[in-house]
Amino acid sequence: MVPIIGDLRPLLVEAVRGKLPKARIVVTATGRTPSRQYVLTALKKLEERIGMRPWSFHSLRHYFITWLSRRGVFIEAVRLLAGHSNLAVTQRYMHATANDRKEAMSKLKK
């Protein structure tokens, strides 16, 4: 399962219509599967163009996992979305702040 935003789903459905099961969806201008470096370069150009602070793929994974956990997503679902084989790995990606701990304690009072 790959999480995608709602607006992207119809575009992907159309992109794969009539294609073989292993056909590529994302390709470079030369028709090849993009390398990690190609995608990273595209990310860096986008960050610069929109004035966003620089991120690495690894830091984006940390952000994604932390973001999900802060919104109350069940930890096993977070683990599966991250593609981790065990929960210990997922927990290393989660970052709790003092505010997160304070909010957790406030929920106990309810």
Side-chain angles (χ1 to χ4, degrees):
M1 179 189 318
V2 177
I4 58 173
I5 60 171
D7 293 346
L8 184 56
R9 189 177 194 298
L11 297 171
L12 290 175
V13 167
E14 185 58 35
V16 298
R17 188 180 316 279
K19 292 193 176 186
L20 297 173
K22 295 188 180 211
R24 295 177 180 130
I25 297 171
V26 178
V27 294
T28 65
T30 60
R32 296 177 166 246
T33 301
S35 66
R36 180 184 186 284
Q37 189 59 46
Y38 181 95
V39 175
L40 181 60
T41 300
L43 174 64
K44 295 302 163 197
K45 286 178 183 177
L46 175 64
E47 289 169 342
E48 189 175 316
R49 191 176 81 230
I50 65 174
M52 185 175 136
R53 78 174 183 91
W55 290 79
S56 67
F57 289 140
H58 191 73
S59 61
L60 286 170
R61 285 180 60 79
H62 280 265
Y63 178 83
F64 176 67
I65 291 167
T66 300
W67 185 87
L68 289 172
S69 68
R70 284 186 179 151
R71 278 145 187 86
V73 175
F74 182 57
I75 188 68
E76 181 63 10
V78 175
R79 181 191 71 79
L80 291 168
L81 288 169
H84 295 148
S85 59
N86 64 62
L87 193 53
V89 176
T90 306
Q91 289 173 316
R92 289 197 306 257
Y93 277 79
M94 297 171 121
H95 302 284
T97 64
N99 191 52
D100 294 325
R101 293 187 297 270
K102 189 168 122 181
E103 188 174 320
M105 292 306 293
S106 74
K107 289 180 180 180
L108 291 175
K109 296 176 188 178
K110 294 180 180 180

